[in-house]
Amino acid sequence: MACFTFFKFMMVLFNLLILLGGLTLLGVGIWVHVDKGLFLQVLSPFSTLDMQFVNVCFFCIAIGGVLVLLGVLGCCGAHKGSKCLLLLFFSIILIIFIAEVAAGTVALAYSSFAEGILKAWATLVLKNQYGSDPVVTKIWNSTMIELNCCGFTNYTDFTDSYYSEQSEGSYPPSCCQLDTAPCSQQQAWHSAVQGCFKQLLKALQKHANIVGGIAVGIGGLEVAAMLVSMYLYCYLDNNVS
Protein backbone atom coordinates (compact mmCIF):
# COMPACT_ATOMS: atom_id res chain seq x y z
CA MET A 1 0.00 0.00 0.00
CA ALA A 2 2.86 2.37 0.85
CA CYS A 3 4.48 1.63 -2.50
CA PHE A 4 1.19 2.31 -4.30
CA THR A 5 0.74 5.64 -2.47
CA PHE A 6 4.29 6.70 -3.35
CA PHE A 7 3.91 5.87 -7.04
CA LYS A 8 0.49 7.52 -7.09
CA PHE A 9 1.98 10.72 -5.64
CA MET A 10 4.88 10.65 -8.12
CA MET A 11 2.47 10.05 -10.99
CA VAL A 12 0.33 13.05 -10.01
CA LEU A 13 3.38 15.28 -9.49
CA PHE A 14 4.96 14.24 -12.79
CA ASN A 15 1.79 14.87 -14.73
CA LEU A 16 1.22 18.22 -13.04
CA LEU A 17 4.60 19.27 -14.39
CA ILE A 18 3.60 18.00 -17.84
CA LEU A 19 0.31 19.90 -17.56
CA LEU A 20 2.08 23.13 -16.59
CA GLY A 21 4.57 22.71 -19.42
CA GLY A 22 1.75 22.07 -21.87
CA LEU A 23 -0.21 25.11 -20.71
CA THR A 24 2.92 27.24 -21.03
CA LEU A 25 3.56 26.08 -24.59
CA LEU A 26 -0.11 26.49 -25.44
CA GLY A 27 -0.11 30.02 -24.05
CA VAL A 28 3.07 30.97 -25.92
CA GLY A 29 1.68 29.50 -29.15
CA ILE A 30 -1.58 31.41 -28.86
CA TRP A 31 0.27 34.61 -27.94
CA VAL A 32 2.57 34.30 -30.96
CA HIS A 33 -0.39 33.61 -33.25
CA VAL A 34 -2.50 36.50 -31.95
CA ASP A 35 0.23 39.12 -31.52
CA LYS A 36 3.11 38.33 -33.89
CA GLY A 37 4.24 41.95 -33.95
CA LEU A 38 4.89 42.10 -30.21
CA PHE A 39 6.55 38.67 -30.27
CA LEU A 40 8.99 39.81 -32.94
CA GLN A 41 9.70 43.00 -31.01
CA VAL A 42 10.54 41.07 -27.84
CA LEU A 43 12.83 38.58 -29.61
CA SER A 44 14.49 41.04 -31.97
CA PRO A 45 17.55 41.70 -29.73
CA PHE A 46 18.30 37.97 -29.53
CA SER A 47 17.95 36.87 -33.14
CA THR A 48 19.16 38.04 -36.52
CA LEU A 49 16.62 35.85 -38.32
CA ASP A 50 13.27 37.11 -39.48
CA MET A 51 10.87 35.25 -37.21
CA GLN A 52 7.97 36.04 -39.50
CA PHE A 53 9.04 33.08 -41.61
CA VAL A 54 8.95 30.63 -38.73
CA ASN A 55 5.48 29.51 -37.71
CA VAL A 56 6.48 28.43 -34.22
CA CYS A 57 2.99 29.18 -32.93
CA PHE A 58 1.43 26.14 -34.60
CA PHE A 59 4.19 23.87 -33.30
CA CYS A 60 3.78 25.21 -29.76
CA ILE A 61 -0.01 24.86 -29.88
CA ALA A 62 0.18 21.28 -31.16
CA ILE A 63 2.81 20.11 -28.65
CA GLY A 64 1.16 22.06 -25.83
CA GLY A 65 -2.22 20.47 -26.59
CA VAL A 66 -0.75 16.97 -26.49
CA LEU A 67 1.06 17.68 -23.20
CA VAL A 68 -2.10 19.13 -21.63
CA LEU A 69 -4.04 16.02 -22.67
CA LEU A 70 -1.38 13.73 -21.23
CA GLY A 71 -1.18 15.75 -18.00
CA VAL A 72 -4.95 15.64 -17.47
CA LEU A 73 -5.15 11.91 -18.22
CA GLY A 74 -2.23 11.08 -15.92
CA CYS A 75 -3.38 13.29 -13.01
CA CYS A 76 -7.01 12.20 -13.13
CA GLY A 77 -6.12 8.56 -13.68
CA ALA A 78 -3.75 8.44 -10.71
CA HIS A 79 -5.77 10.63 -8.35
CA LYS A 80 -9.15 9.00 -8.98
CA GLY A 81 -7.76 5.51 -9.48
CA SER A 82 -9.31 5.20 -12.94
CA LYS A 83 -8.02 2.16 -14.80
CA CYS A 84 -9.46 3.44 -18.07
CA LEU A 85 -7.58 6.76 -17.88
CA LEU A 86 -4.36 5.07 -16.78
CA LEU A 87 -4.55 2.63 -19.67
CA LEU A 88 -5.26 5.47 -22.11
CA PHE A 89 -2.31 7.43 -20.70
CA PHE A 90 -0.06 4.36 -21.07
CA SER A 91 -1.24 3.79 -24.66
CA ILE A 92 -0.56 7.39 -25.76
CA ILE A 93 2.91 7.40 -24.20
CA LEU A 94 3.65 4.03 -25.84
CA ILE A 95 2.55 5.31 -29.26
CA ILE A 96 4.72 8.42 -28.88
CA PHE A 97 7.70 6.31 -27.76
CA ILE A 98 7.34 3.88 -30.68
CA ALA A 99 6.99 6.79 -33.13
CA GLU A 100 10.17 8.39 -31.77
CA VAL A 101 12.14 5.15 -32.01
CA ALA A 102 10.81 4.49 -35.53
CA ALA A 103 11.64 8.05 -36.65
CA GLY A 104 15.17 7.77 -35.26
CA THR A 105 15.70 4.38 -36.92
CA VAL A 106 14.45 5.60 -40.28
CA ALA A 107 16.57 8.76 -40.03
CA LEU A 108 19.71 6.67 -39.39
CA ALA A 109 18.93 3.98 -41.97
CA TYR A 110 17.90 6.32 -44.78
CA SER A 111 20.07 9.34 -44.01
CA SER A 112 21.75 9.26 -47.45
CA PHE A 113 18.38 8.86 -49.17
CA ALA A 114 16.96 11.77 -47.21
CA GLU A 115 20.03 13.84 -48.06
CA GLY A 116 19.47 13.17 -51.76
CA ILE A 117 15.84 14.29 -51.59
CA LEU A 118 16.77 17.37 -49.58
CA LYS A 119 19.57 18.23 -52.00
CA ALA A 120 17.29 17.94 -55.05
CA TRP A 121 14.69 20.18 -53.40
CA ALA A 122 17.18 22.79 -52.15
CA THR A 123 19.03 22.94 -55.48
CA LEU A 124 15.78 23.51 -57.37
CA VAL A 125 14.79 26.29 -54.95
CA LEU A 126 18.19 27.99 -55.23
CA LYS A 127 18.18 27.76 -59.02
CA ASN A 128 14.69 29.12 -59.58
CA GLN A 129 13.56 31.10 -56.51
CA TYR A 130 16.67 32.63 -54.93
CA GLY A 131 16.72 36.27 -56.01
CA SER A 132 13.15 36.20 -57.30
CA ASP A 133 11.21 35.23 -54.18
CA PRO A 134 11.90 37.70 -51.31
CA VAL A 135 10.99 35.16 -48.62
CA VAL A 136 13.27 32.41 -49.99
CA THR A 137 16.07 34.92 -50.58
CA LYS A 138 15.82 36.30 -47.02
CA ILE A 139 15.83 32.83 -45.44
CA TRP A 140 18.83 31.62 -47.44
CA ASN A 141 20.78 34.84 -46.87
CA SER A 142 20.21 34.56 -43.12
CA THR A 143 21.18 30.88 -43.15
CA MET A 144 24.37 31.45 -45.17
CA ILE A 145 25.43 34.36 -42.94
CA GLU A 146 24.70 32.51 -39.69
CA LEU A 147 26.44 29.25 -40.73
CA ASN A 148 29.13 30.92 -42.85
CA CYS A 149 28.24 28.73 -45.82
CA CYS A 150 27.26 28.95 -49.49
CA GLY A 151 24.28 27.18 -51.06
CA PHE A 152 23.26 23.66 -50.12
CA THR A 153 26.33 21.83 -51.51
CA ASN A 154 28.59 24.75 -52.53
CA TYR A 155 28.69 27.74 -54.89
CA THR A 156 27.76 25.56 -57.91
CA ASP A 157 24.16 25.57 -56.70
CA PHE A 158 23.94 29.12 -58.03
CA THR A 159 25.50 28.38 -61.42
CA ASP A 160 23.06 29.18 -64.27
CA SER A 161 20.48 30.20 -61.66
CA TYR A 162 17.98 33.05 -61.80
CA TYR A 163 20.18 35.06 -59.42
CA SER A 164 23.28 34.50 -61.55
CA GLU A 165 21.49 35.53 -64.73
CA GLN A 166 20.10 38.70 -63.14
CA SER A 167 23.46 39.71 -61.60
CA GLU A 168 25.57 39.13 -64.71
CA GLY A 169 27.08 35.84 -63.61
CA SER A 170 27.96 36.80 -60.05
CA TYR A 171 27.28 34.77 -56.90
CA PRO A 172 25.93 35.72 -53.46
CA PRO A 173 28.55 37.54 -51.30
CA SER A 174 28.51 34.65 -48.79
CA CYS A 175 30.14 32.41 -51.43
CA CYS A 176 33.36 34.47 -51.26
CA GLN A 177 35.61 34.42 -48.20
CA LEU A 178 36.01 38.21 -48.24
CA ASP A 179 32.22 38.57 -48.50
CA THR A 180 32.65 40.90 -51.44
CA ALA A 181 30.11 42.01 -54.00
CA PRO A 182 30.11 41.13 -56.78
CA CYS A 183 31.42 37.63 -56.12
CA SER A 184 32.66 36.10 -59.37
CA GLN A 185 32.77 32.40 -60.19
CA GLN A 186 36.57 32.43 -59.99
CA GLN A 187 36.50 34.04 -56.55
CA ALA A 188 33.87 31.59 -55.34
CA TRP A 189 35.96 28.67 -56.59
CA HIS A 190 39.10 29.94 -54.85
CA SER A 191 37.20 30.67 -51.64
CA ALA A 192 35.84 27.10 -51.50
CA VAL A 193 33.19 28.02 -48.93
CA GLN A 194 31.43 24.88 -47.73
CA GLY A 195 27.76 24.22 -48.35
CA CYS A 196 25.19 24.83 -45.64
CA PHE A 197 24.34 21.13 -45.33
CA LYS A 198 27.91 20.26 -44.30
CA GLN A 199 28.00 23.16 -41.86
CA LEU A 200 24.70 22.05 -40.37
CA LEU A 201 26.03 18.50 -39.94
CA LYS A 202 29.14 19.88 -38.22
CA ALA A 203 26.97 21.88 -35.81
CA LEU A 204 24.87 18.78 -35.04
CA GLN A 205 27.96 16.61 -34.54
CA LYS A 206 29.46 19.26 -32.27
CA HIS A 207 26.39 19.11 -30.03
CA ALA A 208 25.74 15.39 -30.53
CA ASN A 209 26.32 14.62 -26.84
CA ILE A 210 23.76 17.22 -25.76
CA VAL A 211 21.21 16.06 -28.35
CA GLY A 212 21.80 12.42 -27.42
CA GLY A 213 21.52 13.16 -23.71
CA ILE A 214 18.22 14.99 -24.19
CA ALA A 215 16.88 12.14 -26.34
CA VAL A 216 17.90 9.52 -23.76
CA GLY A 217 16.42 11.62 -20.94
CA ILE A 218 13.09 12.02 -22.71
CA GLY A 219 13.02 8.31 -23.55
CA GLY A 220 13.82 7.42 -19.93
CA LEU A 221 11.00 9.63 -18.64
CA GLU A 222 8.57 8.04 -21.09
CA VAL A 223 9.57 4.53 -20.04
CA ALA A 224 9.29 5.47 -16.35
CA ALA A 225 5.85 7.00 -16.94
CA MET A 226 4.68 3.83 -18.69
CA LEU A 227 6.02 1.58 -15.93
CA VAL A 228 4.41 3.62 -13.15
CA SER A 229 1.06 3.90 -14.95
CA MET A 230 1.04 0.16 -15.66
CA TYR A 231 1.94 -0.60 -12.02
CA LEU A 232 -0.97 1.54 -10.80
CA TYR A 233 -3.29 -0.10 -13.35
CA CYS A 234 -2.28 -3.64 -12.27
CA TYR A 235 -2.59 -2.73 -8.59
CA LEU A 236 -6.10 -1.36 -9.08
CA ASP A 237 -7.03 -4.33 -11.28
CA ASN A 238 -5.91 -6.81 -8.61
CA ASN A 239 -7.81 -4.96 -5.87
CA VAL A 240 -11.01 -4.89 -7.92
CA SER A 241 -10.78 -8.55 -8.83
Side-chain angles (χ1 to χ4, degrees):
M1 185 63 185
C3 189
F4 171 78
T5 304
F6 172 75
F7 281 123
K8 179 180 177 180
F9 171 77
M10 292 302 297
M11 184 75 171
V12 172
L13 181 61
F14 175 73
N15 282 281
L16 279 175
L17 293 176
I18 291 180
L19 182 61
L20 289 174
L23 289 173
T24 302
L25 277 177
L26 202 59
V28 170
I30 294 173
W31 170 45
V32 174
H33 182 67
V34 172
D35 197 354
K36 289 184 179 179
L38 181 59
F39 181 72
L40 294 173
Q41 184 180 356
V42 171
L43 289 184
S44 59
F46 306 99
S47 176
T48 58
L49 299 176
D50 193 340
M51 295 296 292
Q52 289 178 346
F53 305 127
V54 184
N55 292 321
V56 293
C57 55
F58 299 111
F59 178 77
C60 289
I61 290 172
I63 299 299
V66 172
L67 289 177
V68 168
L69 176 62
L70 285 174
V72 170
L73 287 175
C75 283
C76 294
H79 182 68
K80 294 185 176 181
S82 172
K83 294 194 298 178
C84 180
L85 293 179
L86 287 171
L87 187 60
L88 186 59
F89 175 84
F90 174 85
S91 301
I92 294 176
I93 293 289
L94 180 61
I95 291 171
I96 294 173
F97 182 76
I98 292 174
E100 289 171 348
V101 172
T105 304
V106 169
L108 290 174
Y110 297 97
S111 57
S112 58
F113 177 70
E115 180 184 348
I117 294 177
L118 198 60
K119 180 180 179 180
W121 168 80
T123 303
L124 191 63
V125 169
L126 289 172
K127 292 280 188 185
N128 300 325
Q129 298 183 36
Y130 183 86
S132 62
D133 189 325
V135 175
V136 172
T137 305
K138 181 72 174 180
I139 291 174
W140 272 101
N141 282 339
S142 299
T143 301
M144 291 190 291
I145 291 172
E146 288 291 320
L147 297 179
N148 192 25
C149 57
C150 172
F152 183 83
T153 305
N154 51 35
Y155 75 95
T156 58
D157 291 336
F158 296 99
T159 303
D160 297 326
S161 65
Y162 174 86
Y163 177 84
S164 179
E165 292 175 357
Q166 296 298 314
S167 56
E168 300 179 353
S170 66
Y171 291 75
S174 299
C175 295
C176 290
Q177 285 183 343
L178 299 178
D179 200 24
T180 56
C183 173
S184 67
Q185 185 176 18
Q186 191 72 12
Q187 288 175 315
W189 180 77
H190 279 295
S191 297
V193 178
Q194 286 191 332
C196 294
F197 184 73
K198 290 182 179 179
Q199 294 293 83
L200 184 61
L201 282 181
K202 283 184 178 180
L204 290 175
Q205 290 169 358
K206 183 179 179 181
H207 300 92
N209 293 334
I210 298 175
V211 175
I214 293 174
V216 171
I218 292 174
L221 286 175
E222 290 172 345
V223 171
M226 286 189 290
L227 290 175
V228 172
S229 62
M230 186 51 61
Y231 169 81
L232 295 176
Y233 175 86
C234 293
Y235 182 89
L236 292 170
D237 190 52
N238 290 333
N239 281 355
V240 171
S241 59

